[in-house]
Amino acid sequence: MTTLPKEKIEHQPMFICGAVHRLFRNRATTLLSKQKLMTLEMSRALVAVQENQPLSQQQLADIVQNERSATKRMVDNLEERGYLTTSKSATNKKLKMLNLTKLGEDELKKVKSTITDIEKEVFECLSKEEYEEFLRLIRIIGAHNLG
């Protein structure tokens, strides 16, 4: 098996994207943990519920691209913390419907503030125009590949 020289790997777009994403995740995980807030995964789930409520547990798993069993554990944890309420669907009693609580909304505001601060740090090397162009391009790539 042939390996690429290190300088080639470091300049590949997906390598750079992965490295920046790991940097973001590590900073977010550390800060959220220090603030005794939720995990990054939990915050992604709450944002999905907030934007789509009421939302079924299966829809949440699809949105956050997580397995059903992991999503169920996370939903149970979020419900125990008082961030979500669950109820049965009116049309299908097998579906668990999720709604954000006031406490969940309040905690999500704190998490979003922390994440915004981290994103500002990560992107501070770009001008406003470069940042807007980055967002435009990454959204095109996402729309093309993620649907």
Side-chain angles (χ1 to χ4, degrees):
M1 181 174 168
T2 306
T3 59
L4 296 171
K6 187 177 180 183
E7 65 271 9
K8 298 259 187 198
I9 291 172
E10 290 177 346
H11 291 94
Q12 293 177 359
M14 296 315 292
F15 179 87
I16 295 167
C17 287
V20 171
H21 186 255
R22 278 189 305 280
L23 171 87
F24 167 78
R25 286 185 60 79
N26 290 343
R27 285 184 185 171
T29 299
T30 300
L31 281 175
L32 293 173
S33 175
K34 282 182 182 175
Q35 296 171 7
K36 297 187 180 0
L37 294 171
M38 61 194 78
T39 66
L40 197 54
E41 288 74 19
M42 287 176 170
S43 70
R44 285 178 47 216
L46 289 182
V47 168
V49 172
Q50 184 179 47
E51 292 175 350
N52 300 285
Q53 61 188 329
L55 181 69
S56 76
Q57 190 167 292
Q58 180 58 55
Q59 288 171 312
L60 176 61
D62 293 341
I63 291 170
V64 298
Q65 298 177 350
N66 211 348
E67 294 188 21
R68 286 172 47 185
S69 60
T71 301
K72 182 192 180 323
R73 285 190 301 275
M74 184 170 36
V75 165
D76 291 346
N77 189 333
L78 290 168
E79 188 176 21
E80 283 175 24
R81 291 172 180 229
Y83 300 157
L84 287 179
T85 58
T86 60
S87 59
K88 297 287 182 187
S89 166
T91 57
N92 181 346
K93 298 297 180 196
K94 291 183 181 181
L95 287 180
K96 185 186 269 191
M97 303 304 292
L98 313 173
N99 284 288
L100 202 57
T101 64
K102 173 74 171 112
L103 177 61
E105 288 176 13
D106 293 343
E107 290 298 298
L108 194 51
K109 283 179 190 171
K110 294 176 192 173
V111 170
K112 284 180 177 181
S113 175
T114 298
I115 290 172
T116 298
D117 291 345
I118 296 166
E119 287 176 348
K120 284 179 185 173
E121 270 182 50
V122 170
F123 292 111
E124 71 185 355
C125 60
L126 299 178
S127 69
K128 183 177 185 221
E129 293 78 19
E130 289 168 332
Y131 177 72
E132 295 295 327
E133 181 68 1
F134 171 78
L135 289 180
R136 187 183 74 75
L137 293 172
I138 205 76
R139 287 178 179 139
I140 290 170
I141 292 167
H144 177 76
N145 291 287
L146 303 174

